[in-house]
Amino acid sequence: MRPFEYLRAADAAQAVALVGADPDASYLAGGTTQLDLMKDGVFEPERLVDITRLPLGGITHTGTSIRVGALTSMEELAADPVVRERLPFVREALLLGASTQLRNMATIGGNLLQRARCRYFRDPTVAACNKRAPGSGCAAITGAHRMHAILGTSDHCIALHASDVAVPLVALDALVHVQGADGVRTIPLTRFYLPPGETPNIENTLVRGELITAVEIPLPPRGTRSHYLKVRDRVSYEFALTSAGAALIMDDGVIAEARVALGGVGTIPWRAWDAEDVLRGSAPGGEVFRSAAEAALTGARPLPGTAFKVELAERTLVRALETAAGAGS
Protein backbone atom coordinates (compact mmCIF):
# COMPACT_ATOMS: atom_id res chain seq x y z
CA MET A 1 0.00 0.00 0.00
CA ARG A 2 1.44 3.35 -0.98
CA PRO A 3 1.37 6.29 1.49
CA PHE A 4 -1.73 8.48 1.58
CA GLU A 5 -3.00 11.51 3.44
CA TYR A 6 -5.79 10.99 5.97
CA LEU A 7 -8.40 13.71 6.52
CA ARG A 8 -11.48 13.70 8.74
CA ALA A 9 -14.47 15.69 7.49
CA ALA A 10 -16.31 17.89 9.98
CA ASP A 11 -19.58 17.69 8.05
CA ALA A 12 -21.03 16.40 4.80
CA ALA A 13 -20.51 19.70 2.99
CA GLN A 14 -16.81 19.71 3.82
CA ALA A 15 -16.46 16.08 2.76
CA VAL A 16 -18.10 16.82 -0.59
CA ALA A 17 -15.89 19.86 -1.10
CA LEU A 18 -12.69 17.95 -0.32
CA VAL A 19 -13.40 15.00 -2.59
CA GLY A 20 -15.13 17.03 -5.30
CA ALA A 21 -12.13 19.29 -5.77
CA ASP A 22 -9.52 16.55 -5.74
CA PRO A 23 -9.49 13.73 -8.34
CA ASP A 24 -7.04 11.78 -6.16
CA ALA A 25 -9.24 11.82 -3.05
CA SER A 26 -11.80 9.25 -1.94
CA TYR A 27 -14.28 8.76 0.88
CA LEU A 28 -13.55 6.28 3.67
CA ALA A 29 -16.37 4.58 5.57
CA GLY A 30 -16.37 0.90 6.60
CA GLY A 31 -13.50 0.19 4.22
CA THR A 32 -14.12 -3.56 4.08
CA THR A 33 -13.48 -3.71 0.32
CA GLN A 34 -11.67 -0.43 -0.23
CA LEU A 35 -8.74 -1.22 2.04
CA ASP A 36 -8.25 -4.61 0.38
CA LEU A 37 -8.03 -2.89 -3.00
CA MET A 38 -5.50 -0.41 -1.60
CA LYS A 39 -3.36 -3.20 -0.15
CA ASP A 40 -3.44 -4.97 -3.52
CA GLY A 41 -2.37 -1.82 -5.35
CA VAL A 42 -5.55 -1.70 -7.43
CA PHE A 43 -6.89 1.46 -5.81
CA GLU A 44 -4.31 4.10 -4.90
CA PRO A 45 -5.87 7.36 -3.66
CA GLU A 46 -3.56 10.07 -2.45
CA ARG A 47 -6.09 11.20 0.17
CA LEU A 48 -8.81 9.49 2.17
CA VAL A 49 -11.59 11.62 3.62
CA ASP A 50 -13.01 9.85 6.68
CA ILE A 51 -16.80 10.25 6.92
CA THR A 52 -17.42 7.72 9.67
CA ARG A 53 -18.21 10.36 12.31
CA LEU A 54 -20.75 12.22 10.19
CA PRO A 55 -24.42 11.92 11.24
CA LEU A 56 -25.31 9.65 8.32
CA GLY A 57 -26.39 6.56 10.22
CA GLY A 58 -29.65 5.33 11.67
CA ILE A 59 -32.97 4.05 10.38
CA THR A 60 -36.12 6.17 10.19
CA HIS A 61 -39.54 4.62 9.68
CA THR A 62 -42.55 6.12 7.96
CA GLY A 63 -45.80 4.50 7.04
CA THR A 64 -44.68 3.73 3.50
CA SER A 65 -40.89 3.42 3.58
CA ILE A 66 -37.78 3.24 5.71
CA ARG A 67 -34.89 5.66 5.31
CA VAL A 68 -31.50 4.11 5.97
CA GLY A 69 -28.53 6.35 6.62
CA ALA A 70 -25.60 5.54 4.36
CA LEU A 71 -23.34 4.76 7.33
CA THR A 72 -25.81 2.28 8.84
CA SER A 73 -24.11 -1.10 9.06
CA MET A 74 -25.43 -4.19 7.34
CA GLU A 75 -25.94 -5.80 10.76
CA GLU A 76 -27.96 -2.85 12.07
CA LEU A 77 -30.29 -2.96 9.09
CA ALA A 78 -30.72 -6.74 9.33
CA ALA A 79 -31.68 -6.38 13.01
CA ASP A 80 -34.32 -3.71 12.39
CA PRO A 81 -37.78 -5.00 13.40
CA VAL A 82 -39.54 -3.44 10.41
CA VAL A 83 -37.07 -5.05 8.02
CA ARG A 84 -37.58 -8.36 9.78
CA GLU A 85 -41.38 -8.11 9.52
CA ARG A 86 -41.98 -6.35 6.21
CA LEU A 87 -38.81 -6.98 4.18
CA PRO A 88 -37.67 -10.53 4.92
CA PHE A 89 -35.84 -10.93 1.61
CA VAL A 90 -33.80 -7.80 2.33
CA ARG A 91 -32.84 -9.25 5.69
CA GLU A 92 -31.97 -12.60 4.12
CA ALA A 93 -29.74 -10.90 1.56
CA LEU A 94 -27.95 -8.95 4.29
CA LEU A 95 -27.33 -12.03 6.43
CA LEU A 96 -26.11 -14.05 3.45
CA GLY A 97 -23.91 -11.24 2.18
CA ALA A 98 -21.04 -11.39 4.65
CA SER A 99 -19.78 -12.78 7.95
CA THR A 100 -20.99 -11.22 11.21
CA GLN A 101 -17.69 -9.40 11.66
CA LEU A 102 -17.92 -7.82 8.22
CA ARG A 103 -21.62 -6.99 8.61
CA ASN A 104 -20.76 -4.98 11.71
CA MET A 105 -18.21 -2.92 9.76
CA ALA A 106 -19.66 -2.70 6.25
CA THR A 107 -22.03 0.19 5.56
CA ILE A 108 -25.10 0.20 3.35
CA GLY A 109 -23.74 3.00 1.18
CA GLY A 110 -20.43 1.21 0.79
CA ASN A 111 -22.11 -2.08 -0.04
CA LEU A 112 -23.96 -0.50 -2.94
CA LEU A 113 -20.67 0.93 -4.21
CA GLN A 114 -18.53 -2.17 -3.82
CA ARG A 115 -16.22 -2.84 -6.75
CA ALA A 116 -16.24 -5.81 -9.09
CA ARG A 117 -15.15 -9.21 -7.83
CA CYS A 118 -13.32 -9.95 -11.08
CA ARG A 119 -9.98 -11.64 -10.37
CA TYR A 120 -8.39 -9.75 -13.26
CA PHE A 121 -9.60 -6.36 -12.03
CA ARG A 122 -8.18 -7.13 -8.58
CA ASP A 123 -4.76 -8.21 -9.85
CA PRO A 124 -2.67 -5.21 -10.96
CA THR A 125 -0.19 -7.53 -12.67
CA VAL A 126 -2.89 -8.28 -15.27
CA ALA A 127 -2.59 -5.53 -17.85
CA ALA A 128 -5.81 -6.21 -19.76
CA CYS A 129 -8.64 -4.80 -17.66
CA ASN A 130 -10.84 -2.10 -19.18
CA LYS A 131 -12.42 -1.40 -15.79
CA ARG A 132 -9.06 -0.62 -14.22
CA ALA A 133 -7.21 0.62 -17.32
CA PRO A 134 -9.63 1.81 -20.04
CA GLY A 135 -8.73 0.58 -23.50
CA SER A 136 -6.46 -2.22 -22.28
CA GLY A 137 -8.80 -5.12 -23.07
CA CYS A 138 -10.62 -7.72 -20.97
CA ALA A 139 -8.58 -10.71 -19.81
CA ALA A 140 -11.69 -12.40 -18.39
CA ILE A 141 -13.29 -12.93 -21.78
CA THR A 142 -10.51 -15.26 -22.93
CA GLY A 143 -9.44 -16.42 -19.46
CA ALA A 144 -11.14 -18.22 -16.58
CA HIS A 145 -14.55 -16.59 -16.13
CA ARG A 146 -16.74 -19.00 -14.16
CA MET A 147 -17.67 -16.32 -11.60
CA HIS A 148 -18.49 -13.68 -14.20
CA ALA A 149 -21.67 -12.16 -15.62
CA ILE A 150 -23.98 -13.35 -18.40
CA LEU A 151 -26.43 -10.42 -18.41
CA GLY A 152 -25.55 -6.83 -19.28
CA THR A 153 -22.12 -7.77 -20.57
CA SER A 154 -20.26 -6.20 -23.46
CA ASP A 155 -17.22 -6.97 -25.58
CA HIS A 156 -15.29 -4.74 -23.17
CA CYS A 157 -16.20 -6.23 -19.80
CA ILE A 158 -17.99 -9.19 -18.18
CA ALA A 159 -17.26 -8.33 -14.54
CA LEU A 160 -19.95 -9.22 -12.03
CA HIS A 161 -21.64 -6.91 -9.53
CA ALA A 162 -21.40 -8.85 -6.29
CA SER A 163 -23.74 -7.08 -3.85
CA ASP A 164 -26.40 -9.31 -2.32
CA VAL A 165 -28.58 -6.64 -0.73
CA ALA A 166 -28.66 -4.57 -3.92
CA VAL A 167 -30.72 -7.36 -5.51
CA PRO A 168 -33.87 -6.99 -3.36
CA LEU A 169 -33.34 -3.23 -3.16
CA VAL A 170 -33.43 -2.98 -6.95
CA ALA A 171 -36.57 -5.14 -6.96
CA LEU A 172 -38.21 -2.75 -4.48
CA ASP A 173 -37.39 0.43 -6.45
CA ALA A 174 -35.21 1.78 -3.65
CA LEU A 175 -34.01 5.38 -3.92
CA VAL A 176 -30.46 6.64 -3.36
CA HIS A 177 -30.15 10.11 -1.81
CA VAL A 178 -26.89 11.91 -2.57
CA GLN A 179 -25.30 15.24 -1.73
CA GLY A 180 -22.94 17.01 -4.10
CA ALA A 181 -21.44 20.39 -4.81
CA ASP A 182 -24.63 21.43 -6.63
CA GLY A 183 -26.97 20.32 -3.85
CA VAL A 184 -28.92 17.14 -3.17
CA ARG A 185 -30.67 14.78 -5.54
CA THR A 186 -32.41 11.41 -5.52
CA ILE A 187 -31.53 8.58 -7.90
CA PRO A 188 -33.71 5.48 -8.39
CA LEU A 189 -31.52 2.45 -7.75
CA THR A 190 -32.75 0.98 -11.04
CA ARG A 191 -31.01 3.93 -12.76
CA PHE A 192 -28.01 4.17 -10.44
CA TYR A 193 -25.84 1.46 -11.96
CA LEU A 194 -24.43 1.54 -15.49
CA PRO A 195 -23.75 -1.57 -17.56
CA PRO A 196 -20.18 -1.63 -18.92
CA GLY A 197 -20.87 -0.88 -22.59
CA GLU A 198 -17.74 0.75 -23.97
CA THR A 199 -16.82 2.41 -20.64
CA PRO A 200 -16.55 -0.29 -17.95
CA ASN A 201 -14.61 2.11 -15.73
CA ILE A 202 -17.79 4.21 -15.21
CA GLU A 203 -19.94 2.08 -12.93
CA ASN A 204 -22.70 4.40 -11.74
CA THR A 205 -24.32 7.78 -12.27
CA LEU A 206 -22.60 9.61 -9.41
CA VAL A 207 -20.62 12.67 -10.40
CA ARG A 208 -17.29 13.59 -8.86
CA GLY A 209 -17.60 14.29 -5.12
CA GLU A 210 -21.20 13.17 -4.70
CA LEU A 211 -21.77 11.42 -1.40
CA ILE A 212 -24.50 8.87 -0.70
CA THR A 213 -26.31 10.10 2.40
CA ALA A 214 -29.24 7.66 2.64
CA VAL A 215 -31.13 4.87 0.93
CA GLU A 216 -34.93 4.95 0.98
CA ILE A 217 -36.65 1.56 0.78
CA PRO A 218 -40.37 1.50 -0.08
CA LEU A 219 -42.40 -0.89 2.05
CA PRO A 220 -44.57 -3.35 0.13
CA PRO A 221 -48.14 -3.95 1.32
CA ARG A 222 -48.59 -6.08 4.41
CA GLY A 223 -48.94 -9.71 3.48
CA THR A 224 -46.37 -9.47 0.68
CA ARG A 225 -44.46 -12.73 0.39
CA SER A 226 -40.75 -12.55 -0.31
CA HIS A 227 -37.58 -14.62 -0.36
CA TYR A 228 -33.91 -14.24 -1.29
CA LEU A 229 -32.07 -17.37 -2.42
CA LYS A 230 -28.31 -17.49 -2.87
CA VAL A 231 -26.54 -20.38 -4.58
CA ARG A 232 -22.81 -20.59 -3.94
CA ASP A 233 -19.93 -23.06 -3.93
CA ARG A 234 -19.75 -23.21 -0.14
CA VAL A 235 -22.13 -22.26 2.64
CA SER A 236 -19.97 -19.72 4.46
CA TYR A 237 -18.49 -16.45 3.21
CA GLU A 238 -18.75 -16.91 -0.52
CA PHE A 239 -20.08 -14.84 -3.38
CA ALA A 240 -23.09 -15.98 -5.37
CA LEU A 241 -22.92 -18.14 -8.43
CA THR A 242 -26.54 -17.13 -8.87
CA SER A 243 -29.10 -15.50 -6.61
CA ALA A 244 -32.69 -14.32 -6.85
CA GLY A 245 -34.88 -11.99 -4.85
CA ALA A 246 -38.64 -12.22 -5.30
CA ALA A 247 -41.61 -10.49 -3.70
CA LEU A 248 -45.19 -11.46 -4.53
CA ILE A 249 -48.39 -9.58 -3.72
CA MET A 250 -51.30 -12.00 -3.84
CA ASP A 251 -54.97 -11.20 -4.43
CA ASP A 252 -57.57 -13.97 -4.30
CA GLY A 253 -55.07 -16.63 -5.35
CA VAL A 254 -53.55 -14.58 -8.20
CA ILE A 255 -50.24 -12.70 -8.31
CA ALA A 256 -51.39 -9.09 -8.38
CA GLU A 257 -47.85 -7.68 -8.37
CA ALA A 258 -44.37 -9.19 -8.55
CA ARG A 259 -40.92 -7.78 -7.90
CA VAL A 260 -37.99 -9.86 -9.15
CA ALA A 261 -34.25 -9.29 -9.41
CA LEU A 262 -31.22 -11.50 -9.98
CA GLY A 263 -27.69 -11.52 -8.58
CA GLY A 264 -24.58 -13.45 -9.50
CA VAL A 265 -25.37 -13.13 -13.21
CA GLY A 266 -25.40 -9.43 -14.07
CA THR A 267 -22.83 -6.69 -14.52
CA ILE A 268 -25.30 -4.71 -12.41
CA PRO A 269 -27.97 -5.88 -9.93
CA TRP A 270 -30.40 -7.24 -12.49
CA ARG A 271 -34.09 -6.26 -12.40
CA ALA A 272 -36.06 -8.98 -14.17
CA TRP A 273 -38.82 -6.87 -15.71
CA ASP A 274 -39.83 -9.56 -18.21
CA ALA A 275 -40.27 -12.11 -15.44
CA GLU A 276 -42.52 -9.70 -13.56
CA ASP A 277 -44.69 -9.31 -16.65
CA VAL A 278 -45.11 -13.08 -16.88
CA LEU A 279 -46.03 -13.40 -13.21
CA ARG A 280 -48.43 -10.48 -12.98
CA GLY A 281 -52.05 -11.67 -13.19
CA SER A 282 -51.13 -15.36 -13.10
CA ALA A 283 -51.86 -18.04 -10.54
CA PRO A 284 -48.66 -19.17 -8.80
CA GLY A 285 -47.31 -22.52 -9.87
CA GLY A 286 -44.49 -24.43 -11.47
CA GLU A 287 -45.33 -23.71 -15.09
CA VAL A 288 -45.69 -19.96 -14.68
CA PHE A 289 -42.59 -19.83 -12.49
CA ARG A 290 -40.55 -21.63 -15.14
CA SER A 291 -41.87 -19.28 -17.82
CA ALA A 292 -40.92 -16.30 -15.65
CA ALA A 293 -37.43 -17.71 -15.12
CA GLU A 294 -36.91 -18.20 -18.84
CA ALA A 295 -38.05 -14.63 -19.44
CA ALA A 296 -35.66 -13.35 -16.79
CA LEU A 297 -32.68 -14.83 -18.65
CA THR A 298 -33.68 -13.44 -22.03
CA GLY A 299 -30.67 -11.80 -23.62
CA ALA A 300 -28.08 -13.74 -21.62
CA ARG A 301 -24.68 -13.90 -23.32
CA PRO A 302 -22.82 -16.76 -21.65
CA LEU A 303 -19.28 -17.74 -22.52
CA PRO A 304 -18.06 -21.35 -22.28
CA GLY A 305 -17.17 -20.98 -18.60
CA THR A 306 -20.48 -19.38 -17.66
CA ALA A 307 -22.88 -21.39 -19.83
CA PHE A 308 -24.02 -23.35 -16.77
CA LYS A 309 -25.32 -20.14 -15.18
CA VAL A 310 -28.30 -19.86 -17.51
CA GLU A 311 -30.01 -22.99 -16.24
CA LEU A 312 -28.75 -22.49 -12.69
CA ALA A 313 -30.15 -18.95 -12.57
CA GLU A 314 -33.49 -20.16 -13.92
CA ARG A 315 -33.68 -22.88 -11.28
CA THR A 316 -32.64 -20.41 -8.58
CA LEU A 317 -35.45 -18.05 -9.50
CA VAL A 318 -38.03 -20.85 -9.68
CA ARG A 319 -37.06 -22.00 -6.17
CA ALA A 320 -37.15 -18.43 -4.84
CA LEU A 321 -40.63 -17.94 -6.31
CA GLU A 322 -41.84 -21.25 -4.91
CA THR A 323 -40.59 -20.32 -1.45
CA ALA A 324 -42.04 -16.81 -1.63
CA ALA A 325 -45.40 -18.09 -2.81
CA GLY A 326 -45.62 -20.42 0.16
CA ALA A 327 -44.54 -18.01 2.89
CA GLY A 328 -46.31 -14.94 4.24
CA SER A 329 -44.35 -11.92 5.43
Side-chain angles (χ1 to χ4, degrees), residues 30-64:
T32 53
T33 295
Q34 185 180 38
L35 294 180
D36 286 342
L37 293 175
M38 292 174 65
K39 292 175 183 177
D40 290 339
V42 176
F43 179 54
E44 297 183 315
E46 293 188 2
R47 286 163 205 85
L48 287 182
V49 179
D50 188 338
I51 60 171
T52 56
R53 298 192 182 185
L54 301 185
L56 297 177
I59 302 168
T60 304
H61 305 105
T62 71
T64 58

Side-chain angles (χ1 to χ4, degrees), residues 238-296:
E238 183 61 280
F239 297 99
L241 286 171
T242 60
S243 69
L248 303 176
I249 302 171
M250 306 298 298
D251 183 13
D252 196 24
V254 172
I255 301 171
E257 186 59 62
R259 300 297 183 93
V260 179
L262 303 176
V265 291
T267 55
I268 61 176
W270 198 261
R271 181 71 176 269
W273 303 100
D274 291 342
E276 295 177 1
D277 290 340
V278 171
L279 293 166
R280 195 176 295 114
S282 301
E287 184 175 348
V288 71
F289 291 163
R290 286 189 291 273
S291 295
E294 291 173 1

Side-chain angles (χ1 to χ4, degrees), residues 86-290:
R86 302 283 299 277
L87 300 169
F89 73 149
V90 172
R91 183 172 188 271
E92 290 162 349
L94 288 163
L95 295 178
L96 291 170
S99 66
T100 305
Q101 295 92 331
L102 286 175
R103 294 199 305 267
N104 276 300
M105 285 295 297
T107 65
I108 296 302
N111 185 279
L112 297 182
L113 290 173
Q114 66 178 286
R115 304 301 303 278
R117 291 289 165 178
C118 174
R119 67 174 66 182
Y120 305 101
F121 167 72
R122 289 172 176 259
D123 184 354
T125 66
V126 176
C129 176
N130 288 317
K131 188 175 287 292
R132 179 166 30 84
S136 62
C138 178
I141 290 177
T142 55
H145 46 247
R146 179 173 178 269
M147 297 297 294
H148 286 68
I150 60 174
L151 290 167
T153 62
S154 74
D155 294 336
H156 303 276
C157 184
I158 59 171
L160 183 73
H161 194 281
S163 173
D164 284 285
V165 73
V167 174
L169 294 186
V170 162
L172 289 168
D173 290 323
L175 303 172
V176 181
H177 298 284
V178 303
Q179 179 173 340
D182 295 328
V184 298
R185 65 182 178 123
T186 299
I187 310 167
L189 195 58
T190 52
R191 300 178 186 175
F192 182 79
Y193 297 106
L194 298 174
E198 296 183 356
T199 53
N201 56 306
I202 304 175
E203 298 178 344
N204 55 61
T205 58
L206 292 176
V207 300
R208 182 69 199 170
E210 282 191 317
L211 173 67
I212 296 179
T213 56
V215 177
E216 185 176 347
I217 310 174
L219 291 173
R222 291 188 181 277
T224 298
R225 305 171 181 183
S226 70
H227 183 57
Y228 180 76
L229 177 62
K230 181 176 183 178
V231 177
R232 45 191 171 175
D233 285 325
R234 59 184 181 185
V235 173
S236 177
Y237 193 54
E238 183 61 280
F239 297 99
L241 286 171
T242 60
S243 69
L248 303 176
I249 302 171
M250 306 298 298
D251 183 13
D252 196 24
V254 172
I255 301 171
E257 186 59 62
R259 300 297 183 93
V260 179
L262 303 176
V265 291
T267 55
I268 61 176
W270 198 261
R271 181 71 176 269
W273 303 100
D274 291 342
E276 295 177 1
D277 290 340
V278 171
L279 293 166
R280 195 176 295 114
S282 301
E287 184 175 348
V288 71
F289 291 163
R290 286 189 291 273

